Amino acid sequence: MRPLSRPFRLSVVTAATTVAALTAVTGCTEKSSAGADGVIAVTATDTTCEVSKKEFPAGHVELAIENKGSKVTEVYVLFPDDRVVTERENIGPGTKQKVTAEVKEGEYQIACKPGMKGDGIRQTVTATGSGKIAERDPRLDKAVASYRKYAQAQADETIPLVKVFADAVKDGDVEAAKKAYAPSRIGWERTEPVAESFGDIDPKVDVREDGLEEGQDPEKDWTGWHRLERSLWQDGKLTDRDSELADQLVTDLEDWQKRVGTAEITPTSMANGAKELLDEVATGKVTGEEERYSHTDLVDFKANVEGAEESYELLKSVAAENDPELTKELDQQFAALNTLLDKYRADKTGYDFVSYDKVGEAERKELSDAVNALAEPLSQLAAAVVK
Amino acid sequence: MTEPTGPTEPTGPAEAAEAAEAAGNAQAPTRRALIGWGGAGLALGAAVAGGAVAVARTGDEAAPTAGGAVAFHGAHQAGIATPVQDRLHFAAFDVETDDRDAFVAMLKDWTAAARRMTAGKAVGDGAYGGLPEAPPDDTGEALGLKPSRLTLTIGFGPSLFEKFRLAGRRPEALVDLPQFAGDNLDKARSGGDLCVQACADDPQVAVHAVRNLARIGFGKVSVRWSQLGFGKTSSTTPEAQTPRNLMGFKDGTRNIAGNETDRLKKFVWVDEKDVDANSAWMTGGSYLVARRIRMHIEPWDRTSLREQEDIFGRDKGEGAPVGKAKERDEPFLKAMLPDAHVRLAHPDSNGGATLLRRGYSFTDGTDGLGRLDAGLFFLAYQRDVRRGFIPVQRNLATDALNEYIQHVGSAIFAVPPGVRDADDWWGRALFTGSSTKG
């Protein structure tokens, strides 16, 4: 008897076992590095950091960490320039932890940090490209490539829409600017986790007033869509400052357009990005905080869901093999949420949604429930993809 | 997946990982403790099979481990006659799906999770050690905590029977509660298709349980409302002192105790004589009434001691009924004012109507006016509300206490009998139609 069906991982594990068995039969070497010879034992004490081997094949590696010291430690795998490949914090004295990572050919450092302080005790290790690099399922590579294209297309399509918005602001045409505001955000909202991976752009274009840091002046330092949203809906007038902000918004988003193609995207980041989009909905849109002046939250909401669905659709064929129950559930929950959202727009192809301040408490609860119903199984998508 | 039968000593990293995986981050503080519970569990199994539930619950109490585990399996659900724990997290849910199979699958998942959590184990594969790319099965805030006598008790509301076309199986005794004098019910704090009562000696353990069940339920059910409670206001252990409510008074001294087998049978458990073939699934169950009773704390605190004591019909220090010396002295009702609370609530004033109360105090901070949002979260179990809560509450229409309280939330649930064994699940008899008799 299986004690838990969805949304729990037991079914994923069961499916994975089946896949592993098949792999063995067909002689595929894809998972071979996860076997005994792929494990690097890391023994940490308060003064040492021993590794069982300093050379290993590139691909999927597993660190079996044991803390024999008296202090809590953490273990890092680092690129030569100290960027983190993977890490595990809070490894208590006497405890064991497993960390896995995908590493390319090259030199790395493994660092143990007893007391979780300082640069740690380091060992240089080498991942060799001896032809044993675990190959990723080509369908996943294809999914990443398609998603990269999608993210680029969203940025490309956003620029002209932002220009329409910016021009209206500069013309001082409040009505036209109001109309162009929400559509100008759709591409960004669809690909928000990718857009946010460029940490410097998001705070310039999408920050809300309460997101400003201490010491920042809302009049001088607050830029982007929501600052203009306030001018349009709260102040009801446009100033010279707003014209400057409109130009700045276009410039910042063109920067995004140029860089979006370089974003680090993996199958798991796509899957978890889909879940993050739902989290955006759950924390900002359902409450009406995101678009507090314009009340166009449902447009962002829909765009977030569309972006999540895009990731999901691209990963679905692989996920469905590993965990068919999960994809069945996700199909059902995406459909349910979309059906619910359709109640708030007359034209099912357009983005003319009901103003969120007209959405009552009970209806918001219903939307929130539907988001939870989708986001919970969606959080299992990454596991279903990597197995 | 099979339940681990006991801790194993890991011999190497791989074995350690496997052991952790198999145990799902089981929270067994010591080997001795685990063996202790296992032993209690076996003894309980035997006792329950013989129908001696009170004995079984006494067994729980006598378990060697403080904060230990209460047996999940039994003829009746734990959390009713179980000695009242210190903390409560009560949640009412609405069903979101019309897919009966999906709902049944959730009830099975809930049962499996409840079975683990009440034994002090983490849900599913645990809170750590799983795939790094996925959120853990268990949320983890109860790791390292004792089982804390966690009990999880499920109930089905009247509306559930409509949703799944089970109207024919709705027990006659599961009536919609009438409007009572003075009710000011908030819909957002009332009703629900089903409920879960989580009681534990550690609030974090109770909250963890409801949080994990809510998480498993997403897409099938959503939380309609919930209530945290502290400071049990009634006792189901006769030797214990009756705890005080937030008005500072002992109330419910004559509550049914967990070992009073005869009174439990007479007033709490649904008997097979009470039900027809369609509602036979309720045999061994009970009916739960939940009421959120707001207290007008500040006006109460400005009330003279004499008025306070007159209102309750007891003295404030000892809790003795009017004219008597000790809390447990038999009250002489006629010595009390006609509108005294104890006089009106007493079985003798209600044709013998008796409830098993296990309410909790609550305070949810203050309202916008700076008044303490506090009171009594009243929970009462009975064999038939038409002979239990309803007549008593009607009789309380003239209660002098009403000036200082207001009922603001209300719900009623049919609480099915206990989960019998590892193959059984919450609501099985209702949803599969097989009889629970025998």
Side-chain angles (χ1 to χ4, degrees):
Chain A
M1 184 192 134
R2 225 174 53 193
L4 297 166
S5 55
R6 293 257 50 87
F8 283 88
R9 199 189 303 127
L10 293 180
S11 54
V12 180
V13 174
T14 313
T17 314
T18 318
V19 172
L22 290 174
T23 309
V25 171
T26 55
C28 171
T29 56
E30 192 180 321
K31 301 271 179 188
S32 66
S33 62
D37 60 343
V39 178
I40 304 167
V42 180
T43 312
T45 71
D46 294 349
T47 51
T48 61
C49 184
E50 286 169 23
V51 297
S52 64
K53 49 185 145 185
K54 297 200 170 179
E55 241 185 65
F56 50 87
H60 184 83
V61 296
E62 188 177 310
L63 305 185
I65 304 163
E66 183 171 10
N67 182 4
K68 291 188 171 173
S70 64
K71 295 177 182 168
V72 177
T73 192
E74 54 191 10
V75 172
Y76 287 81
V77 178
L78 301 162
F79 288 110
D81 61 358
D82 264 13
R83 275 181 301 130
V84 177
V85 179
T86 185
E87 66 178 302
R88 179 57 55 92
E89 296 177 353
N90 281 314
I91 307 168
T95 63
K96 293 167 182 172
Q97 288 275 348
K98 267 195 299 186
V99 184
T100 58
E102 298 293 327
V103 298
K104 293 176 192 159
E105 185 185 347
E107 239 176 42
Y108 297 88
Q109 291 202 313
I110 292 178
C112 306
K113 293 189 186 176
M116 299 176 64
K117 279 183 203 148
D119 289 341
I121 307 156
R122 298 194 178 201
Q123 296 282 354
T124 302
V125 294
T126 311
T128 54
S130 57
K132 283 189 188 168
I133 297 173
E135 274 178 37
R136 197 154 71 189
D137 187 326
R139 287 173 303 172
L140 291 178
D141 286 330
K142 206 174 144 212
V144 167
S146 301
Y147 187 75
R148 194 180 291 287
K149 239 186 243 172
Y150 172 76
Q152 185 66 58
Q154 292 307 311
D156 294 347
E157 285 166 24
T158 295
I159 300 304
L161 293 170
V162 166
K163 284 182 174 162
V164 170
F165 174 61
D167 288 346
V169 170
K170 288 194 283 184
D171 289 348
D173 188 340
V174 172
E175 282 318 303
K178 278 184 173 178
K179 217 171 138 222
Y181 171 76
S184 77
R185 294 176 43 75
I186 291 173
W188 173 271
E189 289 288 329
R190 281 177 182 152
T191 57
E192 213 166 344
V194 177
E196 284 178 351
S197 74
F198 307 108
D200 54 334
I201 299 177
D202 182 61
K204 288 186 202 164
V205 303
D206 201 26
V207 74
R208 303 195 293 264
E209 185 168 8
D210 41 64
L212 294 177
E213 287 167 26
E214 201 183 337
Q216 285 189 315
D217 178 353
E219 298 316 311
K220 282 194 302 204
D221 303 319
W222 184 19
T223 61
W225 272 303
H226 295 300
R227 170 70 182 79
L228 291 164
E229 182 203 0
R230 192 187 71 174
S231 298
L232 288 167
W233 275 273
Q234 184 175 282
D235 307 343
K237 63 180 166 53
L238 293 161
T239 63
D240 290 347
R241 173 68 181 150
D242 292 315
S243 295
E244 287 170 32
L245 289 167
D247 279 333
Q248 184 64 44
L249 180 64
V250 173
T251 308
D252 291 336
L253 289 171
E254 282 173 344
D255 183 25
W256 164 54
Q257 183 197 16
K258 275 192 217 96
R259 287 158 65 190
V260 70
T262 66
E264 180 84 19
I265 300 172
T266 64
T268 47
S269 79
M270 279 172 66
N272 283 326
K275 188 213 67 140
E276 284 162 27
L277 281 167
L278 267 290
D279 292 343
E280 291 275 340
V281 174
T283 53
K285 276 81 178 186
V286 158
T287 58
E289 284 170 76
E290 176 87 19
E291 306 288 0
R292 64 189 63 170
Y293 312 110
S294 66
H295 307 301
T296 55
D297 302 86
L298 285 173
V299 182
D300 295 5
F301 191 144
K302 179 68 182 174
N304 285 157
V305 174
E306 285 174 338
E309 206 165 3
E310 179 71 21
S311 288
Y312 167 59
E313 290 295 339
L314 291 172
L315 298 169
K316 188 168 151 185
S317 63
V318 175
E321 272 175 24
N322 293 338
D323 191 351
E325 267 184 62
L326 176 67
T327 49
K328 194 180 138 211
E329 171 85 10
L330 285 170
D331 285 342
Q332 207 180 320
Q333 298 299 350
F334 266 117
L337 182 54
N338 281 321
T339 304
L340 188 58
L341 279 170
D342 282 344
K343 279 171 49 183
Y344 297 94
R345 57 177 179 177
D347 171 7
K348 291 190 181 28
T349 57
Y351 286 82
D352 208 358
F353 279 87
V354 168
S355 179
Y356 204 59
D357 57 343
K358 302 283 189 293
V359 177
E361 281 301 318
E363 293 165 308
R364 289 182 184 203
K365 170 78 165 48
E366 192 181 24
L367 285 164
S368 175
D369 287 343
V371 169
N372 280 334
L374 173 58
E376 190 62 34
L378 199 54
S379 72
Q380 303 292 335
L381 180 61
V385 167
V386 294
K387 274 314 229 177
Chain B
M1 196 176 122
T2 51
E3 297 282 305
T5 50
T8 51
E9 292 301 327
T11 51
E15 286 85 342
E18 275 167 27
E21 183 98 346
N25 310 156
Q27 287 308 297
T30 64
R31 173 194 284 268
R32 195 172 56 84
L34 192 73
I35 291 168
W37 307 334
L42 291 176
L44 285 179
V48 167
V53 174
V55 174
R57 300 300 174 214
T58 307
D60 289 342
E61 226 184 339
T65 357
V70 176
F72 181 68
H73 296 143
H76 311 292
Q77 290 195 70
I80 302 171
T82 307
V84 181
Q85 302 92 324
D86 289 335
R87 304 291 183 136
L88 169 81
H89 189 181
F90 187 94
F93 296 82
D94 284 329
V95 172
E96 298 291 315
T97 181
D98 50 14
D99 180 344
R100 186 169 153 154
D101 292 342
F103 184 68
V104 163
M106 187 208 76
L107 288 174
K108 290 178 181 174
D109 287 349
W110 269 18
T111 309
R115 193 178 277 129
R116 287 190 64 87
M117 291 191 288
T118 52
K121 295 175 189 165
V123 175
D125 277 355
Y128 60 86
L131 289 170
E133 290 84 358
D137 285 354
D138 188 277
T139 54
E141 74 273 28
L143 285 178
L145 301 178
K146 290 179 179 167
S148 306
R149 298 196 301 132
L150 170 70
T151 54
L152 291 165
T153 314
I154 197 170
F156 301 128
S159 46
L160 183 81
F161 296 84
E162 310 304 319
K163 290 207 173 158
F164 290 115
R165 290 195 214 93
L166 289 165
R169 315 209 75 203
R170 176 174 168 176
E172 202 191 312
L174 184 66
V175 296
D176 295 308
L177 291 176
Q179 170 82 27
F180 295 103
D183 276 6
N184 182 20
L185 303 181
D186 176 359
K187 275 191 178 167
R189 291 188 191 276
S190 298
D193 295 330
L194 67 161
C195 72
V196 174
Q197 170 197 283
C199 298
D201 289 331
D202 183 328
Q204 183 124 334
V205 169
V207 168
H208 168 261
V210 168
R211 173 174 164 191
N212 279 274
L213 294 182
R215 186 182 172 205
I216 294 170
F218 279 141
K220 274 75 72 180
V221 295
S222 71
V223 177
R224 181 179 173 86
W225 55 272
S226 79
Q227 182 68 55
L228 294 174
F230 65 92
K232 58 188 179 193
T233 59
S234 56
S235 168
T236 51
T237 35
E239 66 280 13
Q241 263 214 26
T242 303
R244 291 174 189 273
N245 60 24
L246 288 181
M247 288 173 156
F249 276 80
K250 295 177 183 177
D251 193 19
T253 295
R254 280 288 288 143
N255 203 21
I256 302 173
N259 61 359
E260 289 181 292
T261 316
D262 292 347
R263 287 179 87 206
L264 286 170
K265 187 169 158 48
K266 188 171 177 194
F267 295 113
V268 179
W269 307 127
V270 174
D271 191 86
E272 60 185 333
K273 291 197 298 273
D274 302 341
V275 287
D276 59 16
N278 287 327
S279 49
W281 61 272
M282 264 301 281
T283 307
S286 190
Y287 295 94
L288 167 64
V289 171
R291 307 276 288 183
R292 189 177 192 268
I293 306 173
R294 175 94 187 256
M295 291 174 178
H296 302 311
I297 296 284
E298 293 80 6
W300 175 258
D301 292 344
R302 291 190 286 264
T303 303
S304 72
L305 178 62
R306 173 167 299 164
E307 188 183 339
Q308 289 186 4
E309 291 183 335
D310 283 349
I311 285 173
F312 273 94
R314 289 183 184 279
D315 77 54
K316 200 166 188 175
E318 165 62 27
V322 172
K324 302 287 175 129
K326 292 289 174 195
E327 182 201 333
R328 291 182 192 280
D329 290 346
E330 195 56 37
F332 180 55
L333 300 180
K334 284 184 179 158
M336 299 174 186
L337 294 178
D339 58 359
H341 179 68
V342 168
R343 180 168 178 170
L344 292 170
H346 197 275
D348 291 354
S349 308
N350 293 283
T354 302
L355 310 166
L356 185 154
R357 298 175 48 172
R358 51 167 32 242
Y360 287 82
S361 292
F362 72 86
T363 173
D364 294 339
T366 41
D367 63 17
L369 301 172
R371 306 180 300 185
L372 202 60
D373 182 1
L376 170 65
F377 189 67
F378 173 94
L379 294 168
Y381 288 89
Q382 59 246 283
R383 184 171 163 186
D384 189 332
V385 289
R386 295 167 299 184
R387 288 181 282 123
F389 177 75
I390 292 175
V392 175
Q393 188 58 29
R394 283 210 165 114
N395 205 41
L396 290 174
T398 55
D399 189 353
L401 192 56
N402 290 342
E403 195 181 331
Y404 297 97
I405 60 170
Q406 188 169 50
H407 288 239
V408 293
S410 177
I412 182 169
F413 301 96
V415 176
V419 173
R420 296 297 184 105
D421 53 40
D423 294 324
D424 197 6
W425 42 277
W426 272 335
R428 178 183 55 81
L430 169 61
F431 283 90
T432 62
S434 71
S435 170
T436 58
K437 288 181 200 172

